[in-house]
Amino acid sequence: MNGLTEYGNYIVRFMEKIKINHLDLFSGIGGFHLGFERAGFEVNSYFSEIDKYAIQVYKHKFKNSNYVGSVTDVRGGDLPKIDIITFGSPCQDFSLAGKRKGLRGERSSLIGEAIRLIRETRPRVFIWENVKGTFSSNNRQDFTAILQAFANIGGYRLEWQLLNTKWFLPQNRERVYLVGYLGDGSGGEIFPIGQSFRKDDNEISLFGDTNKGGQKVIIYNTEGIVGSLTATDYKQPKQIKVNSATSRGYEVAKEGDTINYSVPNSKTRRGRVGKGVAQTLDTACNQAVVHSPSIRRLTPVECERLQGFPDNWTKEGSEGMISDTQRYKMCGNAVTVDVVEAVANNIRKLVYAK
């Protein structure tokens, strides 16, 4: 049960840990595991992954976890009672930037293995995460087929929503989250999850200023989100033109903005500049930031932060240090921990409420 204890002016809420056996499919570097831990779950994970560096990071960070091999080799009968299954199945065939093979694609067809394991283990909850393109793939037929496959398992209530990392962290990353859970939820719902987790710029509160004018003298509330300071307050900040398929033929990036420089010669690409928010991280980290006034690549630590992981989460694995190339790849493939935590908090309240 929950308890409240006062410490001076602070009230600390103690939550009873909910113990779960977690089957973490396509586990990556453990974003689902970490998100559920932050939501007050005590997680005993059985994880499936084929990327050797992600496996090393998972083993290093969650030393009591159990590696169960490739998803195609996992059998429900070989596992203990599973409470929650999570899976962000390979999304390249659904991606808006890909060839859009959808469920016909070899990689995305692996979702069938996850559905098989849901049938075999009958977890209390399952969560599927994937790219926004799953909604529109093959004229929306793929998403309809996936919903039907989940419904055919029987007994699960299904909810889904498109969530954006930028509601929590400064990265524009839209992902579909679909939750299935046994029972009717007693009238409650997992979704919607709103944008209130992150303040918009116009919601920043001010304490005041030093009456000298300019951005530097403004005193911001520490809970707000402050725009990047320019070199001076009285001159036009340095700008960089970025080729883009807009009516002007370019977009303007200022200090503190981010730039997606993948496919630089594309005649149709637009939306390359992120205003105070990072572009969606990919596995090659084709993102940069405008800084005094040059363009530099995001560092692995910055990529980890944009996905909600602690600094240097991917720096070392169970077999030693990991290259920056692999770190970028793992961060681009990961789920955002803060988004998972928000979903897990609602699951706790609805499914595990006592």
Coordinates of all heavy atoms in Angstrom, one line a residue, residues 213 288 299:
G213 N 16.9 45.1 -19.7 CA 16.5 44.7 -21.0 C 17.4 43.6 -21.5 O 18.5 43.3 -21.0
A288 N 22.4 17.1 -35.8 CA 23.5 18.0 -35.3 C 22.8 19.2 -34.6 O 21.6 19.3 -34.7 CB 24.3 18.5 -36.5
T299 N 26.5 14.3 -29.3 CA 27.3 13.3 -28.6 C 26.5 12.1 -28.2 O 25.3 12.2 -28.0 CB 28.0 13.9 -27.4 OG1 27.0 14.2 -26.4 CG2 28.8 15.2 -27.7

